[in-house]
Amino acid sequence: MSPRSTKFIFVTGGVVSSIGKGLSCASIGALLEARGLKVTALKLDPYINVDPGTMSPFQHGEVFVTDDGAETDLDLGHYERFIGMKMSRANNFTAGQVYETVIGNERRGDYLGGTVQVIPHITDEIKRRVIEASKGFDICIVEVGGTVGDIESQPFLEAIRQMRADVGPENALYIHVTLVPYIRAANEFKTKPTQHSVKDLLGYGIIPGLIICRSESPLDDKLKKKISLFCNVKENCVVNAYDVSNIYEVPLVLNREGLDERIVEHLNIWTGAPNLSAWQKIVDAIRSPRHGIVTIAMVGKYVELTESYKSLTEALHHGGIANDCDVRIVYVDSEEIERIGVEPAIRQASGGSAAGIGVDALLIPGGFGCRGSEGKISAAQYAREKRIPFLGICLGLQMAVIEFARNKSGITAATSAEFDPNAKHAVIHIMETQKSVQRKGGSMRLGAYPCSLKKSSLARKLYGKDEISERHRHRFEVNNDYREALEKAGLIFSGLSPDKKLVEVIELKDHPWFIGVQFHPEFKSTPRSPHPLFAGFVRAAMEQRNRAPSAGAAAPGDAQPNGSAEKSSSARSPQMSINDLLEKASSPT
Ligand code: GLN
């Protein structure tokens, strides 16, 4: 028997960017997986950068790191959180990578005197990569980045157009995700942008089988009928993805809209109804948490940019799901701490009263560069001295080590070589393997590395095993010359690389919950399988809240109603409102 052929779902976007195409793809994946199919997803990015690793978080949002050490688009994070499949280097490629390969082939002489062109050479390379990544899967979801009409996405659209003929029409489905804006002055939803964007798509020779309409609130049948008529799709193939208060509800909404049923019809796949009980449970846990709410302060530099901490905010919410507790995140600008001090800055961000700072735990996320670092160091000191649960991630661990060295080991000049390359007491220094690095792109210590946990440590207790594997993205590490002095003063190195040369986890002896990790646990957390560190951290925050209720924003049992205006809470308001999007689209970036 010949192996089953993979079915492809190509997803394009229309009208504006950031309307949740990635989430739509991830949700499609979740729905098809719940029907028993083996699903993978790819993101094709039409920009010229080889990967997003060198882009500013202001431009690109989070860089998601895979086990095999690729620095990828944040949509891969959505895919991993919604689909069981682990992503790899093959699941995200850019125009830069495609051109790099083709130009490499050309220099080797592979094209034998031919003229190298966008069609067929670039398009062939795009198709080759898609086919390669799809092998062994029933379904391959291919998300084309950007918006239809962008100059840069043309070769990608051409490649996916050709693929329908290559793999057979029964194995290819095009889904277009568009925006149906609500125009307040007219008191109406408008379908015209969708009509235009589908027309653009038709101009590229792509006929969508399904249209996913993003809107602020549910669209009525009349509108769906109109879109169906103008855009040449059946009425039941116009699917409405309206704003919901938490992202894990999207698969359920799309299922109710009949999306997965239409997909299997189109692709001629026979499956039973999807089993969505896991997603229903997650949504229920988020809607009505039994154990109230905790508030966690995230102290960072890019605080206004929640997109750059996507996996982290999601992982905190997963920790909430694990504890049946809602998590409110407040962002504290570390430079504000430098200006006005830890307590006032936290209070200002949390709305805490004079009686308390309004937060139950502190977190310092990963980051780069010196700016705001003193504020982070002060925050770590505050958490240590006031015995507030603390989690430091990557740079966060480094800040905690510097703080400890300065204030507990008497190394008052302790700092990181990242901030001062000639520092006398660089308790954080550059890794040996990083010293010779010349090229910035893809050259950090990246991806999964093993770590051994110390018996009877808090980390060992949380993970429930001795050996773990976590994903990394850093150039600096704890300087082993200072390990003894730090240990003597009470710092515990509870996780080390198997050869014991590299510090991976630190904790404190006399503290209810204080952990720093050199890796990024957030990349491996999913709503169906919350990461033990985040589950433990939220639990510690709950205990802190119960110990000192006045310090927290809300007392136990004070759960906010679903969808309350928690600006900071990504799982609760993950999709920007459509009006925010329009504003974003019309303002220069
Ligand atoms: N800047 C630090 C380093 O390179 C921390 C990196 C991070 O937080 N991801 O080691």
Side-chain angles (χ1 to χ4, degrees), residues 387-401:
R387 300 170 58 79
I388 294 172
F390 174 87
L391 178 59
I393 293 177
C394 205
L395 185 74
L397 167 143
Q398 299 173 359
M399 298 297 95
V401 170

Side-chain angles (χ1 to χ4, degrees), residues 366-369 393-395 398 418 473-476 518 520:
F368 296 85
I393 293 177
C394 205
L395 185 74
Q398 299 173 359
E418 183 176 2
R473 183 170 187 252
H474 65 123
R475 296 190 199 279
F476 295 83
Q518 189 55 75
H520 290 270

Side-chain angles (χ1 to χ4, degrees), residues 191 194-195 198 202 207-208 211 226-233:
T191 66
T194 296
Q195 296 177 36
V198 170
L202 292 174
I207 305 171
I211 298 176
K226 192 167 172 190
I227 292 169
S228 147
L229 194 66
F230 280 100
C231 299
N232 228 1
V233 294

Side-chain angles (χ1 to χ4, degrees), residues 50-96:
V50 170
D51 62 43
T54 51
M55 282 188 225
S56 147
F58 285 103
Q59 298 253 332
H60 191 271
E62 170 183 277
V63 174
F64 185 79
V65 180
T66 55
D67 267 342
D68 65 351
E71 296 180 288
T72 70
D73 187 77
L74 59 78
D75 278 333
L76 268 73
H78 290 311
Y79 304 164
E80 276 203 3
R81 288 187 282 275
F82 281 75
I83 313 173
M85 156 74 186
K86 283 269 166 284
M87 296 290 123
S88 76
R89 193 170 289 284
N91 295 81
N92 180 207
F93 63 87
T94 66

Side-chain angles (χ1 to χ4, degrees), residues 243-258:
D243 283 357
V244 284
S245 57
N246 99 66
I247 54 172
Y248 302 117
E249 210 175 318
V250 179
L252 300 177
V253 169
L254 293 177
N255 170 259
R256 279 199 295 273
E257 287 280 306

